[in-house]
């Protein structure tokens, strides 16, 4: 009986609680600066509802394996922004916007 009560209490405490998971958003923005060595892009982007962000201009880290060749300031791009389970934001794919 005690075991069932403990299990019920634990279930109630943790019901609705989920582990943080990786999430992504597809974003369009204007590229302002490219730092190939540091793998950082400065982008002006609209609101990103997936992360409850307003429109802003900011620096983003770019994941290894994402090609930066051919990117230039003033270019309009589409990119996948990934939020890790640790809350870190990284560009995991990028292409020129059509």
């Amino acid at each position: 009986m005690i075991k069932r009560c403990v299990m019920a209490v634990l279930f109630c405490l943790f019901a609705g609680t989920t582990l943080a998971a990786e999430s992504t958003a597809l974003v369009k923005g204007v590229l302002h600066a490219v730092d190939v060595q540091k793998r950082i892009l400065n982008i002006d982007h609209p609101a990103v509802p997936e992360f409850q962000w307003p429109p802003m201009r900011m620096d983003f880290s770019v994941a290894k394996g994402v090609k930066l060749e051919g990117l230039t300031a003033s270019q309009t791009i589409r990119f996948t922004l990934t939020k890790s389970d640790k809350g870190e934001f990284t560009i995991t794919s990028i292409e020129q916007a059509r």
Side-chain angles (χ1 to χ4, degrees), residues 41 66-67 71 77-80 91-96:
L41 302 178
V66 176
K67 294 182 181 181
L71 296 177
I77 58 172
R78 285 179 14 143
F79 58 99
T80 302
I91 292 176
T92 54
S93 73
I94 190 168
E95 62 184 32
Q96 186 169 349

Side-chain angles (χ1 to χ4, degrees), residues 26-76:
L26 184 59
V27 184
K28 188 174 183 178
V30 177
L31 190 56
H32 287 278
V34 179
D35 187 330
V36 175
Q37 288 193 335
K38 292 182 181 177
R39 300 195 60 78
I40 293 176
L41 302 178
N42 181 270
I43 302 171
D44 188 2
H45 64 78
V48 183
E50 293 88 344
F51 302 130
Q52 294 87 43
W53 285 0
M56 65 180 126
R57 181 173 166 176
M58 60 187 296
D59 290 340
F60 290 102
S61 297
V62 181
K64 291 179 182 177
V66 176
K67 294 182 181 181
L68 300 177
E69 294 81 19
L71 296 177
T72 58
S74 301
Q75 196 173 21
T76 301

